[in-house]
Amino acid sequence: MAVTLVRRASLLPLPAKFRTPAPKTATFSEFEIPVSFSFTFLSHYCSSALRLDPCYYGDQQLHYSYDSDSFFASLIDGSTQKSHLGQIHAQLLVLGLQDSGFLITKLVNASSNLGYVTYARRVFDEFTDPDVFLWNAIIRCYSRHIVFADALEMYSRMQAMGVSPDGFTFPHVLKACSGLPDLEMGRRVHGQVLRHGFESDAFVQNGLVALYAKCGRIERARAVFDCLSERTIVSWTSIISGYAQNGQPLEALRIFGLMRKLNVKLDWIVLVSVLKAYTDVEDLGQGTSVHGCLIKMGLEFEPDLLIALTAMYAKSGQVMAARSFFDQMETPNLILWNAMISGYAKNGYAEEAVELFREMISKSIRPDSITMRSAILACAQVGSVGLARWMDDYISKTEYINHVFVNTALIGMYAKCGSVDYARIVFDRTPNKDVVVWSAMIVGYGLHGRGREAIDLYHSMQQAGVPPNDVTFLGLLTACNHSGLVEEGWDLFHSMKHYRIEPGNQHYSCVVDLLGRAGHLDQAYDFIMKMPIEPGISVWGALLSSCKIYRRVTLGEYAAEQLFSLDPYNTGHYVQLSNLYASACLWDRVAKVRVLMREKGLTKDLGHSLIEINGKLQAFHVGDKSHPRSKEIYEELESLERRLKEAGFIPHTESVLHDLNQEETEETLCNHSERLAIAYGLISSAPGTTLRITKNLRACVNCHSATKLISKLVNREIVVRDAKRFHHFKDGSCSCGDYW
């Protein structure tokens, strides 16, 4: 039973050598010794601190000798509060024991163990001549509590005082160098390690491996590791973690395999790095095997391993499994929140990512830039301008309002949500624009087919002295491609060499698309034949798409053959070839493509469209009659169809065969998914409201033509994002200029 004992000790008279000069009559029994310990502890420190030693004086009275170091050391070791340490420290001052380096070192270590860093420093500063043990204690205190700068400051003071470090000094100093990180200081400490003869000390050498790995000098870490005469689990963990954290997961796994061959006993720390390595190489099978190993070892509930498992399953698309690990944590830390939100966002679970982000901030958990970018990516995928505005407003109230990477993500988000003008507002307010920011805005213009504005911005970028990169030119070529700016795009492509930028397949495919859509198919084919790199899927796909527009069947068949050899199970290639045949009325060949698809087990995804009304998204499929307002929707469709015919609209019947899915079986074209979304938007929003629609497939010719005229008839702007680009319909015309 614990009690608080504050009483005058009357156990023993204080030996003369421990009595203080004033008052001269003071005895040990006269000192107050406040203790808050159990009776068990009291009996323990009495038996350990007081040893029986019979001494006979004049009156032959038996006394006991008094070992002050053991006595007060036991009191210090049993302390659980700062007040205990303060009272013991006061007794040392009263007894004149404040110069005992052993006891002061014990006080500093105890203060550190209890988390009283400031008090530990105060005790240290009161000691006039600290030895290496006391210096080690205060350096360890700072290093242990992640006050790395102060740890290095104390190490420098220690050297200035002429105190030589020992094997217990260097590990804590190296940890501080790693934590900052401070490579230059670490190098100097490495030199001191060698000068003081600790090149064979396993603990010191492990610290050096960790230092160089955390400072990004993995080759230096490996050199130290290879020279180790004795490799502990810490040694293996440090080098494996170093490779995993420095973007070399395969080497991390190779060394892990060597470690296993040597039968080194595993611990959870090394398995965290191994899981990260398997996550980076996207080897879910081996990662799952490690997971099984963790279960056998009883480590599956270790917090850091839960984070690693969450990240692995989330990145591999197994978001349900990842969420199960996430939910096991009572108080998930920021790394875990980031892993889950990022996993959702990168695997098509945008709404779940946004919902989890909202939950996170509702719990007052402070996000970092990684959280922000993942949440912004999710908002971009949802495609809601309202949600995008909410995200922008939230960020404007945080320290990330001028963060370059966050603002770059915001620019992309607004562009993908259909509002390139909002994207420009973010661009204009971003200070210190780098090439990534400029490129993001140019790509945004390209996505919306605003080629002239993209080129004008590129010229402003040049005037600002910011050199372009490969992404800049990809955005420019896309903008020219979507705007029909053939000469401008051709010149921009050839200007890449002036910046020593090697074009990739995406750049070449943009040029092929640019030439092909303008009708220069032979020039596009010659361009492909002269490419210095092997043409990829995107290049041949661009050529096949252009062949459909101009009904170049033979050339299109050649492009399709190349696509089938490169990517035989991609449904889109067969759809493109079928569309080519349909445009040329080659129905027997259309049928053969269908048979070929069935033989390969390929099916086309069902087309669907989303529309945002009052901040909420509604989904529609072709011929969809499941909506609660279905009757009103189809009545609006019939009304629109009558008005279109009255205005002289003639349907493009060949577009019925545009995609090989359920849409082609419908008797009419007016119930395609985007037409249903438009009808719902018209009956659900106020006159003049902009309708924003997202379609998973490329818009068909018929719907594109009809939507242009609808925008004029209903006096609405209709923004449609299809699988290729954005279309802004207004007053009977489209921003693409019928060039898509």
Side-chain angles (χ1 to χ4, degrees), residues 350-577:
E351 293 182 6
E352 289 83 351
V354 173
E355 180 183 352
L356 194 61
F357 177 72
R358 289 182 186 271
E359 180 183 343
M360 174 184 170
I361 61 177
S362 71
K363 296 178 181 293
S364 299
I365 298 172
R366 187 176 180 180
D368 62 8
S369 64
I370 296 174
T371 324
M372 294 296 193
R373 282 179 279 174
S374 295
I376 292 170
L377 173 63
C379 291
Q381 292 172 352
V382 171
S384 165
V385 174
L387 182 61
R389 292 294 305 277
W390 173 83
M391 190 71 212
D392 191 6
D393 289 342
Y394 173 78
I395 291 173
S396 68
K397 300 170 186 174
T398 70
E399 67 269 30
Y400 298 104
I401 185 172
N402 291 322
H403 193 285
V404 64
F405 293 113
V406 171
N407 278 346
T408 302
L410 283 174
I411 292 169
M413 175 191 71
Y414 273 130
K416 291 175 182 176
C417 289
S419 182
V420 73
D421 293 327
Y422 279 133
R424 184 58 188 258
I425 291 172
V426 177
F427 172 83
D428 289 338
R429 80 181 186 211
T430 303
N432 304 318
K433 301 177 184 65
D434 62 6
V435 63
V436 180
V437 177
W438 287 95
S439 299
M441 192 64 239
I442 290 172
V443 168
Y445 278 135
L447 189 61
H448 289 262
R450 292 164 70 163
R452 292 295 178 189
E453 285 153 294
I455 294 173
D456 289 343
L457 190 62
Y458 171 63
H459 292 153
S460 298
M461 177 181 177
Q462 290 178 306
Q463 291 174 1
V466 179
N469 62 13
D470 58 328
V471 178
T472 314
F473 281 105
L474 184 60
L476 287 167
L477 292 172
T478 301
C480 292
N481 181 23
H482 287 169
S483 306
L485 303 176
V486 180
E487 292 184 7
E488 292 85 346
W490 185 256
D491 291 340
L492 284 166
F493 174 78
H494 287 286
S495 72
M496 292 177 67
K497 61 186 178 183
H498 298 313
Y499 296 96
R500 298 182 179 179
I501 299 173
E502 291 295 329
N505 258 296
Q506 287 182 301
H507 298 94
Y508 284 110
S509 66
C510 279
V511 175
V512 171
D513 207 17
L514 182 70
L515 295 171
R517 289 185 183 279
H520 308 303
L521 288 166
D522 293 329
Q523 185 180 352
Y525 175 75
D526 292 339
F527 178 78
I528 294 174
M529 292 298 101
K530 295 177 182 178
M531 281 175 55
I533 62 175
E534 193 68 24
I537 295 170
S538 60
V539 173
W540 292 114
L543 182 62
L544 177 56
S545 180
S546 298
C547 287
K548 186 264 177 185
I549 297 173
Y550 294 98
R551 296 177 172 82
R552 292 285 297 273
V553 176
T554 302
L555 184 58
E557 286 177 328
Y558 179 77
E561 288 176 7
Q562 308 307 311
L563 287 168
F564 295 156
S565 65
L566 292 171
D567 193 11
Y569 293 98
N570 188 318
T571 305
H573 307 327
Y574 298 89
V575 172
Q576 281 189 306
L577 180 60

Side-chain angles (χ1 to χ4, degrees), residues 39-245:
F39 284 120
T40 303
F41 171 76
L42 189 60
S43 62
H44 168 72
Y45 83 70
C46 286
S47 61
S48 63
L50 305 176
R51 55 184 175 81
L52 187 62
D53 185 12
C55 300
Y56 293 91
Y57 295 90
D59 57 0
Q60 296 187 352
Q61 182 179 359
L62 183 64
H63 291 272
Y64 296 94
S65 67
Y66 173 69
D67 186 344
S68 61
D69 282 358
S70 296
F71 178 75
F72 282 105
S74 296
L75 287 178
I76 293 169
D77 290 341
S79 299
T80 59
Q81 298 178 22
K82 182 180 178 181
S83 59
H84 299 161
L85 298 177
Q87 292 163 353
I88 294 169
H89 191 194
Q91 290 298 317
L92 296 180
L93 294 172
V94 171
L95 293 171
L97 299 176
Q98 69 272 20
D99 293 328
S100 170
F102 170 73
L103 292 177
I104 296 301
T105 301
K106 291 283 275 184
L107 269 177
V108 172
N109 281 327
S111 301
S112 175
N113 293 338
L114 294 175
Y116 305 127
V117 178
T118 303
Y119 182 71
R121 176 61 180 270
R122 195 172 75 191
V123 172
F124 174 87
D125 287 341
E126 290 177 1
F127 198 83
T128 55
D129 188 22
D131 58 11
V132 65
F133 303 107
L134 188 50
W135 282 106
N136 286 348
I138 192 63
I139 292 171
R140 169 184 173 273
C141 175
Y142 280 131
S143 182
R144 179 182 180 185
H145 292 282
I146 319 180
V147 192
F148 297 131
D150 286 354
L152 296 183
E153 179 193 354
M154 296 306 288
Y155 177 65
S156 298
R157 286 181 56 186
M158 172 184 172
Q159 291 179 296
M161 296 288 289
V163 179
S164 297
D166 61 14
F168 295 96
T169 313
F170 288 118
H172 300 300
V173 175
L174 290 170
K175 178 184 176 183
C177 293
S178 303
L180 283 174
D182 189 339
L183 178 60
E184 188 57 38
M185 181 65 175
R187 284 173 172 167
R188 291 201 295 268
V189 174
H190 190 178
Q192 291 158 3
V193 166
L194 298 176
R195 283 197 297 274
H196 287 282
F198 290 99
E199 60 271 13
S200 299
D201 188 297
F203 293 103
V204 175
Q205 295 302 308
N206 288 340
L208 287 169
V209 173
L211 164 73
Y212 287 119
K214 291 181 180 179
C215 289
R217 296 297 301 274
I218 189 63
E219 73 289 344
R220 193 71 187 92
R222 181 60 180 273
V224 177
F225 175 82
D226 289 341
C227 292
L228 288 176
S229 57
E230 178 187 355
R231 293 172 183 166
T232 66
I233 181 61
V234 177
S235 312
W236 291 99
T237 300
S238 296
I239 194 65
I240 291 172
S241 173
Y243 276 115
Q245 297 295 334

Side-chain angles (χ1 to χ4, degrees), residues 275-342:
L275 282 173
K276 183 185 185 311
Y278 279 126
T279 300
D280 290 344
V281 299
E282 299 182 3
D283 191 338
L284 181 61
Q286 289 297 323
T288 304
S289 298
V290 175
H291 184 192
C293 179
L294 295 177
I295 295 174
K296 292 178 181 178
M297 295 171 67
L299 297 172
E300 67 269 29
F301 299 113
E302 181 66 39
D304 285 350
L305 286 171
L306 281 177
I307 294 173
L309 288 169
T310 302
M312 180 183 74
Y313 284 110
K315 186 174 181 179
S316 65
Q318 304 292 321
V319 292
M320 297 299 292
R323 186 60 187 262
S324 70
F325 293 112
F326 178 86
D327 290 339
Q328 289 180 39
M329 298 288 289
E330 292 184 7
T331 54
N333 63 15
L334 182 58
I335 297 175
L336 201 59
W337 285 98
N338 284 350
M340 198 65 242
I341 293 171
S342 175

